[in-house]
Amino acid sequence: EKMKICESIIKQLIAHTKKDAPLEACGYLAAKDGVITEIYALNNIDKSSEHFSFDPKEQFCAVKDMRVKNLELCGVYHSHPATPARPSEEDIKLAFDPDILYMIVSLAAGREDVQAYKIKNQKVEPVYLEVIADEEV
């Protein structure tokens, strides 16, 4: 499986996760015509370096904004400030929606690694991210 994502979104993801480090950053990803074109940086109300929770009010506003812009909620992202870009056991347990993309940005060992997954019945499938120039959208 693969998903197209704008180059600027990858940059924004990395910027958000670096800004919030060493805490986990989190947010939504929205797509238009099968391309991820928008990021909604949300606050991690857990203020933790090991897990995250969304603020329901922010979630609601983000989803409303997507509707207005005719975008589709296609993914959730969060960062692993000190561990690899693979879903943790907790990530897998909490992955309730088999249809959305779970994106993880790892800042471990000074790298900026962005990986995406689909998680169905506790099974993790990698999704290839095809980065495209914003002009191509």
Side-chain angles (χ1 to χ4, degrees), residues 30-35 37-38 40 62-74:
K32 200 172 185 105
D33 306 325
V35 182
T37 55
E38 189 115 21
Y40 291 84
V63 171
K64 218 165 69 173
D65 189 68
M66 288 176 210
R67 272 197 211 118
V68 170
K69 293 179 175 161
N70 221 347
L71 297 169
E72 175 199 1
L73 169 60
C74 69

Side-chain angles (χ1 to χ4, degrees), residues 59-119:
Q59 279 181 282
F60 180 75
C61 290
V63 171
K64 218 165 69 173
D65 189 68
M66 288 176 210
R67 272 197 211 118
V68 170
K69 293 179 175 161
N70 221 347
L71 297 169
E72 175 199 1
L73 169 60
C74 69
V76 167
Y77 73 87
H78 73 280
S79 63
H80 284 179
T83 53
R86 281 195 303 273
S88 66
E89 275 175 42
E90 186 182 15
D91 294 337
I92 295 168
K93 252 204 319 262
L94 298 176
F96 297 120
D97 190 338
D99 297 320
I100 68 167
L101 212 55
Y102 292 93
M103 200 173 287
I104 301 174
V105 182
S106 169
L107 302 172
R111 287 208 311 269
E112 300 164 353
D113 188 19
V114 181
Q115 301 291 336
Y117 304 90
K118 285 267 172 94
I119 303 174

Side-chain angles (χ1 to χ4, degrees), residues 13-41:
L13 277 171
I14 291 167
H16 177 212
T17 54
K18 282 184 147 171
K19 185 169 75 75
D20 284 11
L23 301 181
E24 280 197 7
C26 58
Y28 279 145
L29 298 161
K32 200 172 185 105
D33 306 325
V35 182
I36 300 171
T37 55
E38 189 115 21
I39 171 181
Y40 291 84

